Every structure is written in structure tokens, then in C-alpha cells.
Amino acid sequence: MKQQLNSKNLIFQQIVEGLSGGVLMFNKALKLDYINPAGEMLFEISANRMQGLPLEEVFPNNDGLVTAMRDAFETGRPFTEREVVLYLQVMRTTAADCSVTPLFDLPSGKALLVELNPTERVMRISREENQFSQVNAIRALIRGLAHEVKNPLGGLRGAAQLLERELPDESLKEYTNIIIGESDRLRNLVDRMLGPNSVPQRVPLNIHEVLEHVRQLMEADVSDSIVLKKDYDPSIPDISADRDLLIQAILNIVRNAIQAVGESGVITLRTRALRQFTIGHIRHKLVCRVDIIDNGPGIPEDKIESIFYPMVSHRPEGTGLGLSIAQTMIQQHDGIIMCESQPGHTVFSVMLPVDADNQKTDQ
């Protein structure tokens, strides 16, 4: 009988830990006893660090909600509140539907069950799907245009080379050299717009080794007034990725951050593990999130939706290719790059599935 009970408890625990919504349990002193992996992901903090926190610290700056929870705990009346604003640890807020249920007759006495279902999750998935479809449509258009452009460029270059051989005056070759040089430049530009076309050569990879490589490259290339910080989660396991492609993608984003801060600023490379995270239509048990954070002026709100499109840049000197190529490389790894920006705080988040072949499940 005891073994059967333990088996049922294990099943219930697996069910709760597999939910996409956050589940929190507060004890009779209204201190946190349990939070599931989805809750950790929502609050962006580990269960170990949240364990034992009182209600007011779990839901800061939310006096109305905390008071309602205490009333529910005392009266035994459950309630649901929609679109509750949650204040996170990293200068961010998120919205969730909140259901509160008092529990009685437990071995430990009374308890309070809180369920949080992020409303932003549905909106984020919708934005990702829209971004996938738009970027793929633009790339298909570019591939078609590239074919039409590269063929005549090849003919133009060949004709210039033949003309160069027939010129009687050496000084006239300056003009054919210009034609050849511009043809090569346009061909290279088209190739860059197309992005990488090779299949990623995936191997087990430590994401922090890649980030340290990029950080050291950039530290040697920037002035002392630009500070490159790191904030790594050492618990993240190896991912399956192409090292060269991943380095190039991260490098493009970090260079973009360096250009954004100008002559002085702070750029932080941060990693976190996300559980039960959805990318596109696929929910992954574990995802590695790499944040590249800068304190530059931010990206204009009307430009942020198009920053991953080829040839789109909000800087006059920008080519509009770096972020587009980075997005392509990350999508080749079944991941995605997302961006949130406000003046003084811009975050590019690279989401990479951990062991994607074994851990993904259809939504």
C-alpha cells in the first residue's frame, strides 16, 4: 500500500513538473514550499533561491494581489484574477492569469496553491510564427532575386576580362578593373544576403566556451571604456551545435551591441536554463537561453519588428545583414533570437534547445 502511494505521488509530481503553467505552494506561514520548473522559468529564478520566501517577496509591488491571497487563505474562498502583472528579477514585467486555491486537511495543515498561466506566452508564440513566416518569405524572394542578379554579373565580369585583353592602352584597364571589382563586390553582397547555405556540423558543445571565445575576441577589439561582463549558469549541459556557426551568430549580436553603446557602455553575456519552453510549434524540456544585454540608447519601437530582415538597419552606417545572418544560423539549430528593448536596456535572447533531437515534443 505504501509503495502504491509513493508511486502515485511520483506520478502527480511528474504531472505538475510537466505543466506549462507555473504552480506554487505556500505553507501555513505563507512561505514558499514548492515551485515547479515552469514557475522557475516564469520568475527567471531557481527554486533553491525562492524556497522559503514569504508571499510579499514572491509577488513584490503587488499589494492588492497579496492582500487578496491572504484573504483567500483565511476565508477558504478561491479566486482567479486575469492579466496579473508580475515583477521579475531583471527589470522586467510579465503578465499571467492567476488562480488561487486554499487547501485544507493536509498533513502539514493549511496551504495555499497558486497557479500562474502566462498570457504573454501565447502572444510570444504568435509573434514567433509570424516572424518565421515573414523572414522565410523574404529569404525566398532574395534567393530568386539572387539567381537573376548573379547570372548577368557573371557575364558582365567575363566580358570585362575579355575586353581587358583587347585594350591597346594599359591605362584603359583601370576602367575594366572597376567593372570587375564592382561585379565581385555585388556578388559577395548577394552571397552575404543569402546567408549560410551549409548544413550545421553538430557536435556536443559547451555554450560557455563559445561565449568566452567571443568575449575574448571582442575585448581585444574594443576600448577600455566598454566593459564586457559575464553571468553564466554553470548547470547548463552541453548543447548540440556547429561551433563555427554559433560563434559567428553570437559575434554578430555582440558587435551590434558594441556599436549600439558607442564610445562607452556595459555589455553583459548571460546564460540561463529554461524548462518546458516553446520555440515555434515545438515545446522543449530544456532550452539554453543566451542573453546579450547592452545599456545603449535602445531600438526604436517602430523598428524592432523588422531588425532581423535583410538590409534593414536603424543605423545609417549599418548593412542590415548581421542580425539577419545570425537569425538564420540560430534557426538552423532549431532555435530563435528574440529582442526586447527600451532606452538603456536592450536584450537579445538566443534560444537554443538542449539535445533537441531527444527532448522536443509537439505542442
Side-chain angles (χ1 to χ4, degrees):
M1 183 69 179
K2 186 176 180 181
Q3 185 177 0
Q4 194 175 24
L5 188 61
N6 289 337
S7 177
K8 284 185 178 180
N9 288 338
L10 181 61
I11 291 171
F12 290 146
Q13 182 179 349
Q14 289 176 339
I15 290 172
V16 172
E17 294 191 350
L19 294 175
S20 58
V23 176
L24 294 78
M25 180 79 80
F26 292 87
N27 60 24
K28 60 185 178 182
L30 290 181
K31 293 186 176 181
L32 187 68
D33 262 358
Y34 172 80
I35 181 169
N36 72 340
E40 291 180 83
M41 186 179 75
L42 179 62
F43 284 93
E44 300 184 356
I45 187 170
S46 70
N48 287 338
R49 291 177 61 187
M50 292 189 75
Q51 192 86 21
L53 289 180
L55 202 58
E56 292 80 4
E57 290 187 33
V58 176
F59 299 99
N61 305 316
N62 227 324
D63 295 342
L65 179 64
V66 170
T67 300
M69 287 179 172
R70 286 189 173 277
D71 288 344
F73 185 69
E74 294 298 329
T75 62
R77 295 175 182 170
F79 73 90
T80 296
E81 190 170 329
R82 304 293 181 189
E83 298 286 334
V84 173
V85 177
L86 303 176
Y87 295 85
L88 308 179
Q89 301 288 315
V90 284
M91 297 175 58
R92 290 205 309 113
T93 61
T94 190
D97 292 338
C98 176
S99 296
V100 177
T101 307
L103 301 177
F104 301 93
D105 300 325
L106 298 177
S108 57
K110 291 171 64 177
L112 193 69
L113 179 68
V114 179
E115 301 171 72
L116 298 169
N117 289 297
T119 53
E120 286 190 356
R121 177 174 172 270
V122 177
M123 296 170 61
R124 176 183 62 78
I125 292 171
S126 177
R127 285 197 304 268
E128 286 177 12
E129 289 177 350
N130 185 51
Q131 180 179 315
F132 272 124
S133 61
Q134 288 187 341
V135 170
N136 288 337
I138 289 172
R139 288 199 187 112
L141 176 63
I142 288 174
R143 281 195 295 270
L145 288 174
H147 179 73
E148 297 300 323
V149 169
K150 289 174 79 171
N151 281 344
L153 276 179
L156 187 64
R157 190 183 194 284
Q161 288 175 318
L162 291 173
L163 179 61
E164 186 178 52
R165 294 175 191 170
E166 301 297 327
L167 289 175
D169 189 345
E170 285 291 322
S171 63
L172 295 176
K173 290 185 178 181
E174 177 186 349
Y175 301 107
T176 54
N177 287 337
I178 290 173
I179 296 172
I180 293 169
E182 287 301 294
S183 298
D184 290 341
R185 185 183 66 81
L186 287 173
R187 175 181 283 273
N188 291 335
L189 177 61
V190 169
D191 288 338
R192 288 176 62 201
M193 287 173 63
L194 288 172
N197 54 16
S198 59
V199 177
Q201 303 300 309
R202 298 193 184 205
V203 295
L205 201 61
N206 186 313
I207 188 63
H208 301 126
E209 186 270 328
V210 170
L211 294 177
E212 279 300 285
H213 181 80
V214 171
R215 193 174 68 88
Q216 289 167 12
L217 282 177
M218 290 294 93
E219 278 186 337
D221 203 36
V222 299
S223 65
D224 293 338
S225 58
I226 295 178
V227 180
L228 291 169
K229 294 183 175 181
K230 59 181 179 180
D231 177 10
Y232 298 157
D233 179 354
S235 69
I236 297 175
D238 287 356
I239 62 174
S240 176
D242 184 310
R243 184 178 184 274
D244 291 339
L245 289 182
L246 202 53
I247 286 174
Q248 188 60 55
I250 301 293
L251 203 56
N252 286 2
I253 302 172
V254 174
R255 279 180 178 150
N256 190 73
I258 289 171
Q259 291 167 354
V261 299
E263 294 182 359
S264 65
V266 178
I267 296 166
T268 303
L269 304 182
R270 181 178 66 194
T271 60
R272 293 293 183 268
L274 304 179
R275 293 176 177 83
Q276 304 299 336
F277 190 84
T278 302
I279 300 176
H281 288 290
I282 305 296
R283 188 172 72 170
H284 299 272
K285 290 182 180 179
L286 189 63
V287 166
C288 169
R289 188 184 77 194
V290 178
D291 293 330
I292 295 94
I293 308 166
D294 71 69
N295 64 345
I299 301 169
E301 190 175 347
D302 60 336
K303 296 279 177 44
I304 200 162
E305 292 295 328
S306 59
I307 55 174
F308 295 109
Y309 296 167
M311 308 301 292
V312 174
S313 175
H314 68 279
R315 293 193 308 273
E317 73 280 7
T319 64
L321 292 174
L323 292 177
S324 172
I325 291 171
Q327 184 72 279
T328 300
M329 291 173 172
I330 297 303
Q331 287 182 356
Q332 286 182 318
H333 290 82
D334 305 313
I336 192 170
I337 306 174
M338 300 186 296
C339 178
E340 293 182 357
S341 184
Q342 59 189 29
H345 190 77
T346 297
V347 183
F348 280 88
S349 297
V350 180
M351 308 297 188
L352 291 165
V354 176
D355 194 15
D357 293 335
N358 297 327
Q359 298 201 31
K360 63 187 180 183
T361 56
D362 291 331
Q363 273 292 88

